[in-house]
Amino acid sequence: MTVKEIFDTMEYGPAPESASEALAWLVDRGDSFGHFINGAFTKPGKGFPSKNPANGETLAIISQGTQSDVDAAVKAARAAQGPWAKTSGHARAKYLYAIARLVQKHSRLFAVLETLDNGKPIRESRDIDIPLVARHFYYHAGMAQLMEAELPDAEAIGVCGQVIPWNFPLLMLAWKIAPAIAMGNTVVLKPAEYTSLTALLFAEICQEAGLPHGVVNIVTGDGATGEAIVTHEGIDKVAFTGSTAVGRKIRAATAGQNKVLTLELGGKSPYIVFDDADIDSAIEGLVDAIWFNQGQVCCAGSRLLVQEGIAEDFYARLRARMASLRIGDPLDKCIDVGAIVDPVQLATIKRLVADHGNEGTVYQAPCIMPADGCFYPPTLITDLHTSSVLMQEEIFGPVLCATTFRTPDEAVQIANNTRYGLAATLWTENVNLALDVAPKLVAGVVWVNATNLFDAAAGFGGVRESGMGREGGWEGLSAYTKSKSKSKKLAPVEAIPEPTTVKVNGLDRTAKLYVGGKQARPDSGYSKAVYGHKGALLGHVGVGSRKDIRNAVEAAHSASKWGKTTGHLRAQILYYIAENLSTRAEEFAKTLDAMQPKSAKHSGKAEVEATISRLFTYAAWADKYDGLAHGVPIRGVALAMKEPVGVIGALCADEAPLLGLISVMAPAIAMGNTCVLVASQPFPLAATDFYQVLDTSDVPAGVVNIITGEHSGLGATLTDHMDVDAIWNFSSTDISGDLERRSASNLKRTWLNQGHARDWYGTQGGGREFLMQATEVKNIWIPYGE
């Protein structure tokens, strides 16, 4: 065969990787495994087979974790957590460094075992997964070293329950364990039922590194084992990577348990190709985007959007490239597409294409298919409508769904037409177009002229129903640390009851709601009297209803252009609000004093002064809460951009009626969000007076909306609303658990007080924590150079 023929046919001889070392490792351990608890392996129990999906052969028997196994693992983790957290950052760094080195020393064994267990091509395991695993432990060794100096006010959360998927078994383990133990937490991790072997090999690595007993515990099993971990009362933080459906169940199951929760869930990521793109490069990128790991990737570029003028040429070249893809034994280094992880997943892929492929035109690559094993050919389905099932639902297989667009604005509209928001890719030779489109895409990660770039320094995670939180980078550490400041239980704050003899002064005063920049009567038609502590009737406020919330959310959405304004403009408006409040300081102080008895610690005057100061603080932050250019190991940059969350619904503090409201509003709008604020339930008049200040401070209509009424009902309505992006709760009414359960409907972000008080006058009342909660981090990867 000539060189030309080789390039034309892309035919290569087999290059098999030997599995003998990995199989010998399994044999040496009796082809069966117990759990790894408190630094040692338990005796193998009743279990299930872990099979090679390429040929169906059983590799080992994995023990099914029981409730008692989980209890033992949590007990061990709890006992180890205190001493581990007190260990110096430098000492923890040395352990993480040792783990990284051992991963490198055993890299070939890890790679082969991963391919045997998962079915992915050995080239991917060897060249991508395992190096990234080592990179995560090296990177977080550095984070452990720097924690005491750079995060002096942070401490470990406690015991972390972690449940990982089968598509990147060892890499997902590294994403979870490395930051957790670096920050002083201990972990109980459950690998996927299909792919537990590399996690068990990692347990041996922990032993070789001399990691203290109980810091890392691994319990194998099915979904019931995972449920036992995430709902265990001894778990302080839950980290889950998997499907959106399971993530929704976890959100509901953990509601009210006061657990920190991060979810990295599904996606339906767009892959946008503009007409000026390097088509051949874009096609090679697409091969990596959708056929990498057989398409079993949460951020796979499974929705192809091609500009109409080049669509037919692009499809023709893509079909030719698909015809040259090689499918077969994943241990063959010449194979491009390996095996689907399990017959159950293979059946799901087949069913989705069979049931809905007729909505478009199906093309399957004419590849030689293995006679045995779980294999599915690379598939392209064109001519699909944006609402087609296959364009909306995650297939999690080697199936690419395609449609066309005419203009960049239409491309953005189609790309964002999904309930997911994990990743996106765009290809263009026009840097101006790329940097115009990338910020408009609703995704946690955007790749420009590249795809599937990952690094420990750049946080990964999504928005919408693709999850909450980030993994990796500085932003990822927030999921594994908490503030050292302590808080007390928050007692319910009651309104002043109607006195026996009511003092009525002057004309009737009925405060309205504030929606869309206008005063609005409550749809309920009801109002509630507000009494002062000296027996005076201070006025009436409207009782907000479901329809009032609906109107306020619509107004907030209509003001979404606020997020595109400059930080400088938002700062000016916040300063203006402070100025106008200052001119009426005496009036507001009088209202606050009338509603609440003056205490030795606080007074109306002190609250107004603190409120003005807080407005100045967030005006200062509006143009200074910067993103980062991450130092990723490529010739390019990963820009971590701070973006507004969207529409924030907030139940404001009862005990600080003005300061609590402003401490929520100011950071939200400073970062470009719009908000629906439910005022202090017992003392609402400060909030209704405040909208008069907004009217005179150039705040665009709909940016701030104020509703008065009962917190539990209005909070439930806000949380149920599908167009509210985040819920904050600082109410003294204990409703955090109910709001968490309700938030599972669309997995909106939650920041809830869990019934604990916050010192609104001190550092707890403001600062970076509020800014972090008011923003999402989008990482935009931009390679450069020829």
Side-chain angles (χ1 to χ4, degrees):
M1 182 178 286
T2 67
V3 172
K4 181 180 184 303
E5 289 172 330
I6 290 175
F7 276 108
D8 287 342
T9 62
M10 295 298 286
E11 288 185 10
Y12 294 90
E17 174 76 33
S18 172
S20 59
E21 292 289 335
L23 295 175
W25 181 82
L26 293 170
V27 170
D28 289 345
R29 282 140 191 86
D31 291 329
S32 61
F33 293 87
H35 312 293
F36 183 68
I37 298 174
N38 202 28
F41 283 94
T42 65
K43 182 180 178 180
K46 183 179 180 181
F48 50 88
S50 183
K51 296 184 177 182
N52 182 344
N55 55 27
E57 294 178 358
T58 295
L59 297 168
I61 301 299
I62 308 298
S63 294
Q64 170 62 40
T66 64
Q67 183 65 58
S68 61
D69 294 322
V70 172
D71 290 343
V74 173
K75 182 180 179 181
R78 177 62 63 194
Q81 198 275 317
W84 179 246
K86 292 176 182 176
T87 301
S88 71
H90 174 60
R92 292 199 302 273
K94 289 194 290 184
Y95 283 113
L96 271 84
Y97 173 78
I99 291 172
R101 292 288 293 123
L102 286 165
V103 167
Q104 290 179 317
K105 290 177 182 178
H106 298 289
S107 61
R108 204 68 164 200
L109 177 58
F110 272 117
V112 174
L113 195 60
E114 192 87 315
T115 289
L116 286 172
D117 207 20
N118 171 273
K120 64 175 62 183
I122 184 64
R123 286 187 297 116
E124 295 176 8
S125 299
R126 181 195 64 195
D127 299 340
I128 299 173
D129 291 24
I130 308 308
L132 272 174
V133 170
R135 164 68 174 154
H136 271 267
F137 281 99
Y138 276 126
Y139 180 85
H140 286 98
M143 286 299 195
Q145 180 75 29
L146 296 175
M147 181 182 180
E148 291 157 6
E150 298 301 318
L151 300 170
D153 298 324
E155 66 181 7
I157 292 174
V159 177
C160 301
Q162 303 176 326
V163 179
I164 59 174
W166 42 259
N167 55 342
F168 292 92
L170 189 64
L171 182 56
M172 293 297 102
L173 176 149
W175 281 18
K176 297 289 190 289
I177 289 181
I181 66 174
M183 295 295 102
N185 303 278
T186 55
V187 305
V188 177
L189 179 137
K190 188 197 87 68
E193 180 181 0
Y194 298 149
T195 54
S196 301
L197 294 180
T198 48
L200 296 167
L201 174 56
F202 178 81
E204 291 191 359
I205 292 293
C206 291
Q207 289 178 321
E208 288 186 43
L211 194 68
H213 295 175
V215 172
V216 170
N217 304 273
I218 296 173
V219 181
T220 55
D222 57 14
T225 307
E227 182 180 2
I229 291 173
V230 301
T231 59
H232 198 286
E233 62 181 12
I235 295 292
D236 303 303
K237 185 260 188 300
V238 172
F240 171 77
T241 296
S243 72
T244 295
V246 175
R248 189 175 287 114
K249 291 178 180 178
I250 289 174
R251 168 72 285 181
T254 57
Q257 296 184 358
N258 196 18
K259 287 181 169 69
V260 179
L261 179 63
T262 51
L263 301 172
E264 197 264 285
L265 306 176
K268 194 69 179 175
S269 300
Y271 190 99
I272 307 168
V273 182
F274 290 98
D275 58 9
D276 67 339
D278 179 338
I279 293 179
D280 290 332
S281 294
I283 286 174
E284 286 306 308
L286 187 55
V287 169
D288 182 46
I290 184 59
W291 293 303
F292 173 62
N293 200 15
Q294 299 71 252
Q296 299 169 131
V297 184
C298 54
C299 57
S302 56
R303 283 189 299 149
L304 172 62
L305 314 181
V306 186
Q307 199 152 15
E308 204 169 77
I310 63 168
E312 290 308 314
D313 181 31
F314 190 92
Y315 291 155
R317 296 199 213 182
L318 178 57
R319 292 187 188 103
R321 180 66 180 91
M322 290 171 64
S324 68
L325 292 173
R326 298 175 294 273
I327 303 176
D329 181 5
L331 283 174
D332 185 341
K333 290 183 281 290
C334 290
I335 290 300
D336 297 307
V337 182
I340 303 300
V341 71
D342 188 82
V344 173
Q345 181 63 19
L346 178 61
T348 299
I349 298 167
K350 289 180 175 179
R351 175 180 54 79
L352 284 168
V353 174
D355 290 352
H356 304 287
N358 58 6
E359 297 176 23
T361 302
V362 178
Y363 171 81
Q364 292 189 320
C367 303
I368 299 173
M369 297 292 291
D372 300 313
C374 298
F375 294 91
Y376 193 83
T379 300
L380 169 66
I381 306 177
T382 55
D383 307 317
L384 288 167
H385 296 291
T386 57
S387 59
S388 298
V389 171
L390 296 182
M391 288 289 282
Q392 293 294 325
E393 297 300 323
E394 188 177 32
I395 301 170
F396 223 65
V399 180
L400 177 63
C401 304
T403 191
T404 61
F405 65 90
R406 292 185 176 89
T407 66
D409 285 345
E410 186 183 11
V412 171
Q413 185 179 19
I414 294 172
N416 292 342
N417 180 27
T418 173
R419 69 182 190 273
Y420 297 110
L422 187 53
T425 301
L426 63 95
W427 285 79
T428 175
E429 293 295 287
N430 185 339
V431 66
N432 291 323
L433 178 61
L435 297 181
D436 176 59
V437 170
K440 297 176 181 177
L441 298 174
V442 179
V445 180
V446 178
W447 294 295
V448 176
N449 293 340
T451 192
N452 280 344
L453 298 177
F454 307 100
D455 187 63
F460 181 85
V463 296
R464 292 181 174 172
E465 293 190 24
S466 287
M468 59 186 74
R470 295 292 180 267
E471 305 206 51
W474 285 99
E475 58 266 37
L477 294 182
S478 64
Y480 290 99
T481 56
K482 63 181 180 180
S483 172
K484 289 181 179 178
S485 60
K486 306 302 179 184
S487 59
K488 297 179 180 179
K489 200 73 175 173
L490 179 60
V493 180
E494 303 293 343
I496 303 296
E498 180 179 357
T500 305
T501 304
V502 179
K503 298 177 184 178
V504 181
N505 299 319
L507 297 174
D508 172 65
R509 177 189 181 196
T510 302
K512 299 181 179 65
L513 312 180
Y514 188 66
V515 177
K518 298 178 181 178
Q519 298 182 39
R521 298 183 186 277
D523 180 71
S524 68
Y526 288 96
S527 61
K528 177 184 176 182
V530 180
Y531 298 99
H533 65 95
K534 293 183 178 180
L537 174 63
L538 302 180
H540 291 80
V541 292
V543 177
S545 67
R546 179 179 295 271
K547 186 175 180 181
D548 297 316
I549 292 292
R550 184 200 70 183
N551 294 340
V553 173
E554 287 180 358
H557 268 282
S558 70
S560 60
K561 289 184 179 178
W562 175 252
K564 297 179 176 63
T565 59
T566 65
H568 173 63
L569 175 63
R570 297 195 293 269
Q572 285 182 296
I573 290 177
L574 282 162
Y575 281 129
Y576 198 16
I577 294 172
E579 178 186 338
N580 289 330
L581 177 60
S582 180
T583 62
R584 298 177 58 182
E586 187 175 342
E587 173 192 341
F588 273 87
K590 184 178 179 181
T591 299
L592 291 167
D593 285 336
M595 285 191 296
Q596 304 175 94
K598 185 175 180 179
S599 70
K601 186 176 182 182
H602 300 308
S603 65
K605 180 181 178 181
E607 184 167 349
V608 174
E609 289 176 350
T611 300
I612 294 170
S613 175
R614 191 133 298 156
L615 284 164
F616 265 69
T617 295
Y618 289 112
W621 271 118
D623 58 357
K624 298 176 185 67
Y625 191 52
D626 298 325
L628 295 170
H630 289 307
V632 291
I634 65 166
R635 192 158 184 258
V637 293
L639 300 177
M641 311 294 289
K642 303 288 179 63
E643 296 187 334
V645 171
V647 176
I648 296 176
L651 306 175
C652 299
D654 291 326
E655 67 275 22
L658 180 63
L659 179 58
L661 181 136
I662 299 305
S663 296
V664 168
M665 180 207 77
I669 68 174
M671 295 297 101
N673 302 279
T674 58
C675 52
V676 178
L677 308 176
V678 181
S680 167
Q681 183 174 319
F683 310 125
L685 291 178
T688 56
D689 285 351
F690 181 72
Y691 62 60
Q692 298 168 4
V693 174
L694 296 175
D695 278 337
T696 59
S697 303
D698 294 341
V699 179
V703 171
V704 178
N705 305 272
I706 298 174
I707 306 294
T708 53
E710 188 256 332
H711 278 184
S712 60
L714 295 175
T717 301
L718 268 174
T719 311
D720 288 343
H721 202 298
M722 299 299 282
D723 281 338
V724 173
D725 299 295
I727 289 292
W728 295 359
N729 174 42
F730 302 105
S731 173
S732 66
T733 305
D734 189 9
I735 54 177
S736 293
D738 180 59
L739 299 184
E740 285 179 328
R741 277 185 287 273
R742 292 175 178 275
S743 72
S745 60
N746 72 340
L747 291 169
K748 55 172 60 68
R749 276 76 181 138
T750 59
W751 187 28
L752 312 174
N753 64 2
Q754 304 295 347
H756 284 79
R758 182 176 287 266
D759 180 7
W760 293 102
Y761 290 82
T763 56
Q764 288 185 330
R768 286 181 176 269
E769 183 181 15
F770 285 79
L771 298 170
M772 183 184 70
Q773 294 290 344
T775 53
E776 292 283 9
V777 177
K778 174 186 286 183
N779 278 286
I780 302 176
W781 291 70
I782 309 172
Y784 52 72
E786 291 295 330

